[in-house]
Every structure is written in structure tokens, then in C-alpha cells.
Amino acid sequence: MVQGRKHATAQTGNTLCHPPSMNTLADIRTRIREWRRAQSPAHVRRTSLLIAGRCIDAGWLDGAARMAAYLPNDGEVDTTVLFEYLRERGRTAFIPLLRKHTLWFGPYVGPAALRPNRYGIPEPAIDGRMITDARELDLVFVPLVAFDPRGHRLGMGGGYYDRTFAFRLAEPARASPRLIGLAFEGQKVERLEARPWDVPLDTAVTEAGIYHFPGRGSASP
Ligand SMILES: Nc1nc2c(c(=O)[nH]1)N(C=O)[C@@H](CNc1ccc(C(=O)NC(CCC(=O)O)C(=O)O)cc1)CN2
Ligand SMILES: Nc1ncnc2c1ncn2[C@@H]1O[C@H](COP(=O)(O)OP(=O)(O)OP(=O)(O)O)[C@@H](O)[C@H]1O
């Protein structure tokens, strides 16, 4: 930790350390979103390929009947390869769809069938009959702004993922859908203050490796 110098930022291993004044969740969100947007497109492409490759090599996509992932926005890890992997195998992936304050999921059938949501992020332009409930998914690749070694996640601040997957907290023995955060190593922080509604990740994947968070539920005997 760098003390006494205003706004100083030090790097210890791959975990960014900051003076206490920079550590509120809102500060972390602002700082890491800036960091994410400052990465070069070539770097994002290369590291995203590594991250997607880890997910495919782990067998997660082959093992899940229903997979959802996000369309990248604001410098997030690029998920294109994950969608291509399923499409080449004749399978449909799901992407999030905002309905009031929660997420539903719609089939991703290509860019033509999309429209921007209220935040400008493309989502499926489909009718209600094709919408899938979060409970019907086996695996969800989750976007995030920051994560910590306990699996806590900081998102864009809308509370959408926490509200949508609150049933994972309410039903601790339930292991699906598996929530896998995709992030660059620069999004890993020492500690995120936990709020009661936070739904932890099961796993996070960065270009440096796979982090397992054997948390509540599946870890208990
Ligand atoms: N790629 C992706 N899709 C996603 C999410 C995400 O984090 N990433 N979401 C995860 O929940 C949901 C959208 N959640 C969001 C919540 C807040 C803001 C937000 O505050 N954006 C602004 C303000 C823009 C505006 O209001 O027009 C910003 O960029 O500052 C964006 C998305 C669903 N889809
Ligand atoms: N399960 C829940 N029930 C009711 N309100 C919730 C729930 N989860 C989150 N919220 C509300 O959403 C707001 C934003 O939550 P938070 O800051 O954790 O979002 P986030 O995880 O960063 O965003 P996102 O999931 O959209 O990426 C909180 O102030 C909280 O009031």
C-alpha cells in the first residue's frame, strides 16, 4: 500500500493497491472502468482469446446444456469466441435482456436480431415466448468491473445480476447456474466490502488463470 501520496497507485503482483481514500466501491468502480477503457484493442483481443480458451479447455461449454454470456461493452472481456464455439456446434447461446429490474435471457441468433437496451447495450429483439428464466440456465459467464479473492463481484451498479441470481443465496445447496466471472487480471482487487445482497461468483477466469471460490452451498458437506 502506498501511503501519504495522494492518488498514488502501486502494483503488488497483479493486485492493485490503493490508498484507503480510493477504496470505496464507487471509487473502485470508477477507477477500474477507466483502466479497462484504457487498454488497447490488441491487448483486449489477445487476453480475451486466452480467457475464452481457458473456458473451452476446461470443458465448461461442452458440459452445459444452456449457456449464457454477455455481449462485451465498455472494455469488458470479449466473449465472441465463446458464442462462435457454440454456433459452430449448432448450439444456441443466451444473452441478457433487461426486464424492469432483473435480467431475463434470450437466444443470441446474430447481430441482426438485436436492439439497444436503456444503457445502449444490444439485447435480443424477441417476443416474450422466447425468453428464458435465469433458473433454466446451467452456466452464466458474468461481466464484472472488479472481483476479489473471496469471489465477491462489483458490477456496473445496477444490481441486475444480484437481483437475478438472488435465488442462489436463498437456496445455498443449489449449484446452478454456475456463475463464472470473466475479467482481466487488472480487475482483481485485494478486497471488496460485501453487501448482504451480493451473490458471489463460483469461479473467475483471467488471462493469468482460473480462480475457484468454493463458497457457501456446494462446499458444505
Ligand atoms: N455487457 C454487459 N451487458 C450487461 C451488463 C453488463 O454489465 N455488461 N449488465 C450488468 O448488470 C446489465 C446492464 N447493466 C448496466 C447497469 C448500469 C450501466 C450504467 O450505469 N451505464 C452507464 C450510464 C449510461 C446511461 O444511463 O445511459 C455508464 O456507462 O456510466 C450499464 C449497464 C445487462 N447487460
Ligand atoms: N437482491 C436484491 N434485492 C433488492 N435490491 C437489490 C438486490 N441486489 C441488489 N439490489 C440493489 O441494487 C443496487 C446496486 O447493487 P450493486 O452495487 O451490488 O450492483 P452491481 O452488482 O455492481 O451491478 P450489476 O449486477 O448490475 O452489474 C443496490 O443499491 C441494491 O439496492
Side-chain angles (χ1 to χ4, degrees):
M1 185 79 67
V2 179
Q3 300 284 0
R5 263 194 296 144
K6 226 180 165 189
H7 303 313
T9 299
Q11 185 116 28
T12 327
N14 279 313
T15 305
L16 290 166
C17 294
H18 298 271
S21 62
M22 295 281 285
N23 280 342
T24 71
L25 292 176
D27 289 339
I28 293 172
R29 184 179 283 124
T30 304
R31 176 170 55 75
I32 296 190
R33 285 188 64 187
E34 279 171 9
W35 176 87
R36 221 169 45 175
R37 286 194 295 263
Q39 305 310 298
S40 74
H43 176 77
V44 170
R45 207 174 313 119
R46 189 162 34 82
T47 39
S48 295
L49 279 175
L50 268 170
I51 292 165
R54 287 187 192 282
C55 297
I56 291 167
D57 292 347
W60 294 329
L61 282 80
D62 295 326
R66 284 166 172 255
M67 179 211 93
Y70 57 91
L71 294 178
N73 175 58
D74 194 48
E76 291 166 340
V77 171
D78 192 339
T79 50
T80 306
V81 170
L82 300 176
F83 291 117
E84 279 172 2
Y85 182 89
L86 287 196
R87 191 169 41 83
E88 284 164 8
R89 285 156 186 77
R91 295 175 52 196
T92 305
F94 293 85
I95 56 174
L97 186 60
L98 301 181
R99 280 285 179 278
K100 295 204 172 147
H101 300 295
T102 55
L103 300 176
W104 291 73
F105 293 83
Y108 179 46
V109 291
L114 299 173
R115 64 166 173 227
N117 66 23
R118 77 181 74 133
Y119 301 109
I121 303 172
E123 63 175 37
I126 55 168
D127 74 59
R129 287 168 301 179
M130 297 171 76
I131 293 178
T132 295
D133 187 289
R135 287 174 176 267
E136 296 174 49
L137 300 169
D138 303 301
L139 172 64
V140 182
F141 289 107
V142 179
L144 57 88
V145 175
F147 74 99
D148 79 5
R150 298 178 300 167
H152 291 142
R153 165 187 178 274
L154 180 69
M156 292 290 277
Y160 290 103
Y161 276 86
D162 290 331
R163 272 190 296 266
T164 304
F165 297 104
F167 63 86
R168 286 285 319 268
L169 279 186
E171 303 166 47
R174 187 186 169 115
S176 76
R178 183 173 182 176
L179 304 177
I180 302 183
L182 301 183
F184 303 113
E185 195 62 19
Q187 293 172 255
K188 190 175 78 187
V189 298
E190 264 182 3
R191 190 179 170 85
L192 290 171
E193 171 208 328
R195 281 90 42 89
W197 57 80
D198 282 332
V199 180
L201 299 167
D202 296 302
T203 307
V205 186
T206 73
E207 68 274 24
I210 298 177
Y211 299 85
H212 293 288
F213 309 117
R216 349 110 297 141
S218 55
S220 54

